[in-house]
mmCIF file with all atom_site columns, all heavy atoms in Angstrom:
data_model
loop_
_atom_site.group_PDB
_atom_site.id
_atom_site.type_symbol
_atom_site.label_atom_id
_atom_site.label_alt_id
_atom_site.label_comp_id
_atom_site.label_asym_id
_atom_site.label_entity_id
_atom_site.label_seq_id
_atom_site.pdbx_PDB_ins_code
_atom_site.Cartn_x
_atom_site.Cartn_y
_atom_site.Cartn_z
_atom_site.occupancy
_atom_site.B_iso_or_equiv
_atom_site.pdbx_formal_charge
_atom_site.auth_seq_id
_atom_site.auth_comp_id
_atom_site.auth_asym_id
_atom_site.auth_atom_id
_atom_site.pdbx_PDB_model_num
ATOM 1   N N   . ARG S 1 310 ? -22.787 19.725 6.516  1.00 98.00 ? 310 ARG S N   1
ATOM 2   C CA  . ARG S 1 310 ? -22.702 18.529 5.684  1.00 98.00 ? 310 ARG S CA  1
ATOM 3   C C   . ARG S 1 310 ? -22.065 18.852 4.336  1.00 98.00 ? 310 ARG S C   1
ATOM 4   O O   . ARG S 1 310 ? -21.254 18.068 3.810  1.00 98.00 ? 310 ARG S O   1
ATOM 5   C CB  . ARG S 1 310 ? -24.096 17.915 5.516  1.00 98.00 ? 310 ARG S CB  1
ATOM 6   C CG  . ARG S 1 310 ? -24.671 17.397 6.841  1.00 98.00 ? 310 ARG S CG  1
ATOM 7   C CD  . ARG S 1 310 ? -25.856 16.496 6.636  1.00 98.00 ? 310 ARG S CD  1
ATOM 8   N NE  . ARG S 1 310 ? -27.044 17.186 6.183  1.00 98.00 ? 310 ARG S NE  1
ATOM 9   C CZ  . ARG S 1 310 ? -27.989 17.677 6.963  1.00 98.00 ? 310 ARG S CZ  1
ATOM 10  N NH1 . ARG S 1 310 ? -27.869 17.594 8.274  1.00 98.00 ? 310 ARG S NH1 1
ATOM 11  N NH2 . ARG S 1 310 ? -29.059 18.264 6.460  1.00 98.00 ? 310 ARG S NH2 1
ATOM 12  N N   . LEU S 1 311 ? -22.414 19.998 3.786  1.00 98.00 ? 311 LEU S N   1
ATOM 13  C CA  . LEU S 1 311 ? -21.828 20.415 2.521  1.00 98.00 ? 311 LEU S CA  1
ATOM 14  C C   . LEU S 1 311 ? -20.318 20.618 2.661  1.00 98.00 ? 311 LEU S C   1
ATOM 15  O O   . LEU S 1 311 ? -19.526 20.115 1.848  1.00 98.00 ? 311 LEU S O   1
ATOM 16  C CB  . LEU S 1 311 ? -22.515 21.694 2.041  1.00 98.00 ? 311 LEU S CB  1
ATOM 17  C CG  . LEU S 1 311 ? -22.049 22.295 0.719  1.00 98.00 ? 311 LEU S CG  1
ATOM 18  C CD1 . LEU S 1 311 ? -23.232 22.865 -0.054 1.00 98.00 ? 311 LEU S CD1 1
ATOM 19  C CD2 . LEU S 1 311 ? -21.023 23.401 0.957  1.00 98.00 ? 311 LEU S CD2 1
ATOM 20  N N   . VAL S 1 312 ? -19.891 21.345 3.695  1.00 98.00 ? 312 VAL S N   1
ATOM 21  C CA  . VAL S 1 312 ? -18.466 21.614 3.893  1.00 98.00 ? 312 VAL S CA  1
ATOM 22  C C   . VAL S 1 312 ? -17.703 20.316 4.143  1.00 98.00 ? 312 VAL S C   1
ATOM 23  O O   . VAL S 1 312 ? -16.573 20.141 3.658  1.00 98.00 ? 312 VAL S O   1
ATOM 24  C CB  . VAL S 1 312 ? -18.262 22.616 5.046  1.00 98.00 ? 312 VAL S CB  1
ATOM 25  C CG1 . VAL S 1 312 ? -16.795 22.676 5.478  1.00 98.00 ? 312 VAL S CG1 1
ATOM 26  C CG2 . VAL S 1 312 ? -18.740 24.001 4.629  1.00 98.00 ? 312 VAL S CG2 1
ATOM 27  N N   . SER S 1 313 ? -18.302 19.383 4.869  1.00 98.00 ? 313 SER S N   1
ATOM 28  C CA  . SER S 1 313 ? -17.610 18.113 5.135  1.00 98.00 ? 313 SER S CA  1
ATOM 29  C C   . SER S 1 313 ? -17.304 17.377 3.837  1.00 98.00 ? 313 SER S C   1
ATOM 30  O O   . SER S 1 313 ? -16.193 16.842 3.658  1.00 98.00 ? 313 SER S O   1
ATOM 31  C CB  . SER S 1 313 ? -18.449 17.227 6.068  1.00 98.00 ? 313 SER S CB  1
ATOM 32  O OG  . SER S 1 313 ? -19.524 16.583 5.401  1.00 98.00 ? 313 SER S OG  1
ATOM 33  N N   . LEU S 1 314 ? -18.257 17.361 2.916  1.00 98.00 ? 314 LEU S N   1
ATOM 34  C CA  . LEU S 1 314 ? -18.040 16.651 1.655  1.00 98.00 ? 314 LEU S CA  1
ATOM 35  C C   . LEU S 1 314 ? -17.085 17.402 0.734  1.00 98.00 ? 314 LEU S C   1
ATOM 36  O O   . LEU S 1 314 ? -16.326 16.787 -0.018 1.00 98.00 ? 314 LEU S O   1
ATOM 37  C CB  . LEU S 1 314 ? -19.379 16.413 0.949  1.00 98.00 ? 314 LEU S CB  1
ATOM 38  C CG  . LEU S 1 314 ? -20.270 15.334 1.562  1.00 98.00 ? 314 LEU S CG  1
ATOM 39  C CD1 . LEU S 1 314 ? -21.608 15.273 0.831  1.00 98.00 ? 314 LEU S CD1 1
ATOM 40  C CD2 . LEU S 1 314 ? -19.585 13.964 1.525  1.00 98.00 ? 314 LEU S CD2 1
ATOM 41  N N   . VAL S 1 315 ? -17.119 18.736 0.782  1.00 98.00 ? 315 VAL S N   1
ATOM 42  C CA  . VAL S 1 315 ? -16.158 19.513 -0.001 1.00 98.00 ? 315 VAL S CA  1
ATOM 43  C C   . VAL S 1 315 ? -14.740 19.218 0.478  1.00 98.00 ? 315 VAL S C   1
ATOM 44  O O   . VAL S 1 315 ? -13.829 18.963 -0.333 1.00 98.00 ? 315 VAL S O   1
ATOM 45  C CB  . VAL S 1 315 ? -16.465 21.018 0.090  1.00 98.00 ? 315 VAL S CB  1
ATOM 46  C CG1 . VAL S 1 315 ? -15.308 21.842 -0.484 1.00 98.00 ? 315 VAL S CG1 1
ATOM 47  C CG2 . VAL S 1 315 ? -17.743 21.349 -0.670 1.00 98.00 ? 315 VAL S CG2 1
ATOM 48  N N   . LEU S 1 316 ? -14.521 19.258 1.786  1.00 98.00 ? 316 LEU S N   1
ATOM 49  C CA  . LEU S 1 316 ? -13.199 18.980 2.333  1.00 98.00 ? 316 LEU S CA  1
ATOM 50  C C   . LEU S 1 316 ? -12.750 17.564 1.988  1.00 98.00 ? 316 LEU S C   1
ATOM 51  O O   . LEU S 1 316 ? -11.593 17.339 1.591  1.00 98.00 ? 316 LEU S O   1
ATOM 52  C CB  . LEU S 1 316 ? -13.214 19.173 3.849  1.00 98.00 ? 316 LEU S CB  1
ATOM 53  C CG  . LEU S 1 316 ? -11.920 18.821 4.593  1.00 98.00 ? 316 LEU S CG  1
ATOM 54  C CD1 . LEU S 1 316 ? -10.750 19.655 4.100  1.00 98.00 ? 316 LEU S CD1 1
ATOM 55  C CD2 . LEU S 1 316 ? -12.102 18.981 6.096  1.00 98.00 ? 316 LEU S CD2 1
ATOM 56  N N   . LEU S 1 317 ? -13.649 16.613 2.117  1.00 98.00 ? 317 LEU S N   1
ATOM 57  C CA  . LEU S 1 317 ? -13.303 15.230 1.801  1.00 98.00 ? 317 LEU S CA  1
ATOM 58  C C   . LEU S 1 317 ? -12.886 15.105 0.336  1.00 98.00 ? 317 LEU S C   1
ATOM 59  O O   . LEU S 1 317 ? -11.859 14.486 0.020  1.00 98.00 ? 317 LEU S O   1
ATOM 60  C CB  . LEU S 1 317 ? -14.488 14.311 2.098  1.00 98.00 ? 317 LEU S CB  1
ATOM 61  C CG  . LEU S 1 317 ? -14.280 12.817 1.803  1.00 98.00 ? 317 LEU S CG  1
ATOM 62  C CD1 . LEU S 1 317 ? -13.118 12.256 2.616  1.00 98.00 ? 317 LEU S CD1 1
ATOM 63  C CD2 . LEU S 1 317 ? -15.564 12.037 2.083  1.00 98.00 ? 317 LEU S CD2 1
ATOM 64  N N   . GLY S 1 318 ? -13.655 15.692 -0.565 1.00 98.00 ? 318 GLY S N   1
ATOM 65  C CA  . GLY S 1 318 ? -13.325 15.605 -1.985 1.00 98.00 ? 318 GLY S CA  1
ATOM 66  C C   . GLY S 1 318 ? -12.010 16.276 -2.322 1.00 98.00 ? 318 GLY S C   1
ATOM 67  O O   . GLY S 1 318 ? -11.227 15.783 -3.150 1.00 98.00 ? 318 GLY S O   1
ATOM 68  N N   . ASP S 1 319 ? -11.752 17.418 -1.683 1.00 98.00 ? 319 ASP S N   1
ATOM 69  C CA  . ASP S 1 319 ? -10.482 18.106 -1.928 1.00 98.00 ? 319 ASP S CA  1
ATOM 70  C C   . ASP S 1 319 ? -9.305  17.230 -1.521 1.00 98.00 ? 319 ASP S C   1
ATOM 71  O O   . ASP S 1 319 ? -8.285  17.156 -2.225 1.00 98.00 ? 319 ASP S O   1
ATOM 72  C CB  . ASP S 1 319 ? -10.448 19.430 -1.165 1.00 98.00 ? 319 ASP S CB  1
ATOM 73  C CG  . ASP S 1 319 ? -11.322 20.506 -1.797 1.00 98.00 ? 319 ASP S CG  1
ATOM 74  O OD1 . ASP S 1 319 ? -12.049 20.197 -2.760 1.00 98.00 ? 319 ASP S OD1 1
ATOM 75  O OD2 . ASP S 1 319 ? -11.281 21.653 -1.315 1.00 98.00 ? 319 ASP S OD2 1
ATOM 76  N N   . LEU S 1 320 ? -9.424  16.560 -0.371 1.00 98.00 ? 320 LEU S N   1
ATOM 77  C CA  . LEU S 1 320 ? -8.340  15.696 0.083  1.00 98.00 ? 320 LEU S CA  1
ATOM 78  C C   . LEU S 1 320 ? -8.220  14.444 -0.777 1.00 98.00 ? 320 LEU S C   1
ATOM 79  O O   . LEU S 1 320 ? -7.109  13.989 -1.076 1.00 98.00 ? 320 LEU S O   1
ATOM 80  C CB  . LEU S 1 320 ? -8.550  15.325 1.551  1.00 98.00 ? 320 LEU S CB  1
ATOM 81  C CG  . LEU S 1 320 ? -8.250  16.458 2.537  1.00 98.00 ? 320 LEU S CG  1
ATOM 82  C CD1 . LEU S 1 320 ? -8.766  16.118 3.931  1.00 98.00 ? 320 LEU S CD1 1
ATOM 83  C CD2 . LEU S 1 320 ? -6.750  16.758 2.579  1.00 98.00 ? 320 LEU S CD2 1
ATOM 84  N N   . VAL S 1 321 ? -9.349  13.883 -1.203 1.00 98.00 ? 321 VAL S N   1
ATOM 85  C CA  . VAL S 1 321 ? -9.292  12.726 -2.102 1.00 98.00 ? 321 VAL S CA  1
ATOM 86  C C   . VAL S 1 321 ? -8.538  13.093 -3.378 1.00 98.00 ? 321 VAL S C   1
ATOM 87  O O   . VAL S 1 321 ? -7.670  12.345 -3.852 1.00 98.00 ? 321 VAL S O   1
ATOM 88  C CB  . VAL S 1 321 ? -10.709 12.218 -2.424 1.00 98.00 ? 321 VAL S CB  1
ATOM 89  C CG1 . VAL S 1 321 ? -10.679 11.219 -3.577 1.00 98.00 ? 321 VAL S CG1 1
ATOM 90  C CG2 . VAL S 1 321 ? -11.350 11.583 -1.205 1.00 98.00 ? 321 VAL S CG2 1
ATOM 91  N N   . SER S 1 322 ? -8.842  14.264 -3.940 1.00 98.00 ? 322 SER S N   1
ATOM 92  C CA  . SER S 1 322 ? -8.164  14.672 -5.171 1.00 98.00 ? 322 SER S CA  1
ATOM 93  C C   . SER S 1 322 ? -6.671  14.885 -4.930 1.00 98.00 ? 322 SER S C   1
ATOM 94  O O   . SER S 1 322 ? -5.841  14.583 -5.793 1.00 98.00 ? 322 SER S O   1
ATOM 95  C CB  . SER S 1 322 ? -8.798  15.947 -5.733 1.00 98.00 ? 322 SER S CB  1
ATOM 96  O OG  . SER S 1 322 ? -8.520  17.086 -4.930 1.00 98.00 ? 322 SER S OG  1
ATOM 97  N N   . LEU S 1 323 ? -6.313  15.420 -3.762 1.00 98.00 ? 323 LEU S N   1
ATOM 98  C CA  . LEU S 1 323 ? -4.898  15.597 -3.428 1.00 98.00 ? 323 LEU S CA  1
ATOM 99  C C   . LEU S 1 323 ? -4.189  14.252 -3.352 1.00 98.00 ? 323 LEU S C   1
ATOM 100 O O   . LEU S 1 323 ? -3.089  14.078 -3.917 1.00 98.00 ? 323 LEU S O   1
ATOM 101 C CB  . LEU S 1 323 ? -4.776  16.329 -2.093 1.00 98.00 ? 323 LEU S CB  1
ATOM 102 C CG  . LEU S 1 323 ? -3.356  16.461 -1.540 1.00 98.00 ? 323 LEU S CG  1
ATOM 103 C CD1 . LEU S 1 323 ? -2.552  17.459 -2.345 1.00 98.00 ? 323 LEU S CD1 1
ATOM 104 C CD2 . LEU S 1 323 ? -3.393  16.860 -0.069 1.00 98.00 ? 323 LEU S CD2 1
#
Side-chain angles (χ1 to χ4, degrees):
R310 295 195 289 268
L311 180 143
V312 167
S313 78
L314 286 176
V315 168
L316 176 60
L317 179 60
D319 285 6
L320 286 168
V321 168
S322 70
L323 174 72

